Amino acid sequence: MDIHHVRYFLAVCETRNFTRAAENCHVTQPALSRAIQQLEDEVGGLLFRRERNLTHLTDLGNLLRPRFQSIVDELSGVRQEASRFLCLEDAHVKVGIMCTIGPRRFTGLLSDFNMRHRGIQLQLVEGVPTKLSELLEAGEIDVAIMASSDQFPERFDVTPLFRERFMLAFPAGHRLCQYDAIPITAIDGEIYLRRVNCEYWDYLSDLCDSFGVKTRVSYSSEREDWIQNMVAGGLGICFIPEYSAVIPGLQVRPVAEPEVTREVCLVTVAGRRFSPAVATFVGAVKSYGWATPHSGIDMRRTSDAHADAPPLPQ
């Protein structure tokens, strides 16, 4: 059954005249009549009766008219939706974000992207690297922004975006405030509060072991805000990425001797074709000015940064 035949049928229903229907459809009257006859052959019965200048629907025609109209309306809706999608007027992109990546480096990108492409809606999906890799491979997210202490699998295309240092976070008044950059050996004997979702935990633990540094894990949590609040409350210290959003009262210094960094990357599935919206977002991420200097976490001294910070518990 040809969709054009259905449109010709509906045109005759509207005009009740084969000649005017043919004119409206920009075909000849004999061509339209043949199409209607072919449609009648398909459905197995007459759709119209012609009585001189009067053409009217048969009972079968009346029965099928709403169904045929529904088909045309649905097809029109599909075309309009596809057009909006392809023209980036009503498109969606699912972006996986590793849960330890702070928003500080991405606010500018997201703001700029929204201004340029208001028809594209971004949905941010948070997760650890293993989960994001599974979602990416399964097609449940379109792209991922994450880091890994190991090599990414070969099935992924990886574009490095920026590097960030690991910092040590501690409460106001802590002995580590004396350092501008903290040697890894200086944390020997400290109580450590573990961020469970930190993808560098094993790497950092091995690093401490290699320098003979011993810490005692007192608390662990998936919640970054809980860990930060416990550190600020004097319950211990923790490693934290440089561009994390930190709560007031938290003191941070870069790790030194050795410096520890991670590379945040844009990750996609190799060979997978992008929709126009995904291709637009990937292009925006790759062309963004990641190399522009960013201040990272405010590392001012306790005396001038948090003069009003509450005292540590006795």
Side-chain angles (χ1 to χ4, degrees):
M1 189 177 296
D2 194 312
I3 190 62
H4 294 296
H5 295 175
V6 174
R7 287 201 173 97
Y8 298 160
F9 165 78
L10 293 173
V12 177
C13 291
E14 185 69 25
T15 63
R16 291 296 199 273
N17 185 285
F18 275 65
T19 301
R20 288 200 301 273
E23 292 173 352
N24 292 344
C25 294
H26 306 291
V27 296
T28 65
Q29 191 272 328
L32 183 137
S33 295
R34 284 195 300 272
I36 295 297
Q37 185 176 355
Q38 290 170 356
L39 185 59
E40 289 175 332
D41 292 341
E42 288 281 349
V43 300
L46 292 176
L47 298 172
F48 297 101
R49 286 195 179 90
R50 300 191 202 184
E51 298 176 356
R52 297 181 181 178
N53 294 329
L54 179 64
T55 298
H56 62 272
L57 283 163
T58 64
D59 290 342
L60 179 60
N62 276 312
L63 175 68
L64 295 180
R65 182 179 181 180
R67 183 66 63 86
F68 284 146
Q69 186 66 58
S70 171
I71 291 172
V72 171
D73 291 345
E74 183 67 23
L75 181 58
S76 177
V78 168
R79 286 177 172 169
Q80 291 176 8
E81 187 171 341
S83 176
R84 289 195 300 270
F85 177 82
L86 294 173
C87 295
L88 307 181
E89 294 177 359
D90 185 20
H92 296 75
V93 178
K94 288 187 176 181
V95 182
I97 299 286
M98 190 171 66
C99 49
T100 63
I101 293 179
R104 297 169 68 97
R105 288 300 303 268
F106 289 91
T107 303
L109 167 69
L110 298 178
S111 176
D112 181 69
F113 187 80
N114 179 257
M115 290 293 294
R116 294 174 180 270
H117 308 286
R118 293 190 179 277
I120 301 178
Q121 182 182 133
L122 299 180
Q123 178 182 348
L124 305 183
V125 180
E126 188 180 50
V128 297
T130 52
K131 176 186 175 183
L132 294 180
S133 296
E134 292 171 358
L135 293 176
L136 190 59
E137 191 171 16
E140 296 184 31
I141 58 176
D142 299 303
V143 302
I145 295 174
M146 54 184 177
S148 176
S149 57
D150 301 315
Q151 293 291 326
F152 286 102
E154 291 185 0
R155 64 182 180 275
F156 292 147
D157 282 334
V158 179
T159 302
L161 301 180
F162 62 89
R163 288 183 178 273
E164 65 177 335
R165 298 173 296 177
F166 272 90
M167 322 290 280
L168 275 163
F170 46 87
H174 194 278
R175 67 177 182 85
L176 294 177
C177 285
Q178 65 183 296
Y179 295 97
D180 291 321
I182 302 174
I184 197 72
T185 53
I187 68 171
D188 186 47
E190 290 287 339
I191 295 175
Y192 189 80
L193 307 182
R194 183 186 172 192
R195 299 161 46 249
V196 173
N197 290 328
C198 178
E199 78 286 356
Y200 270 69
W201 167 250
D202 291 337
Y203 175 85
L204 293 169
S205 297
D206 292 342
L207 179 65
C208 288
D209 289 342
S210 68
F211 280 84
V213 173
K214 301 297 182 183
T215 60
R216 179 168 62 88
V217 176
S218 180
Y219 298 97
S220 61
S221 175
E222 294 180 351
R223 293 273 299 271
E224 296 281 323
D225 56 343
W226 274 72
I227 292 296
Q228 288 194 27
N229 274 279
M230 287 190 287
V231 170
L235 301 182
I237 66 171
C238 75
F239 289 103
I240 190 170
E242 182 176 5
Y243 297 113
S244 298
V246 298
I247 64 170
L250 203 66
Q251 299 294 287
V252 292
R253 301 287 189 278
V255 178
E257 300 177 21
E259 182 181 68
V260 182
T261 65
R262 70 177 182 181
E263 191 169 58
V264 176
C265 304
L266 172 70
V267 184
T268 59
V269 177
R272 180 172 293 173
R273 295 184 63 182
F274 297 146
S275 71
V278 174
T280 300
F281 180 74
V282 168
V285 173
K286 289 183 177 181
S287 63
Y288 186 68
W290 299 108
T292 302
H294 288 70
S295 60
I297 296 174
D298 185 358
M299 294 184 291
R300 291 176 298 168
R301 294 287 187 175
T302 305
S303 59
D304 57 359
H306 298 291
D308 298 326
L312 297 178
Q314 301 298 318

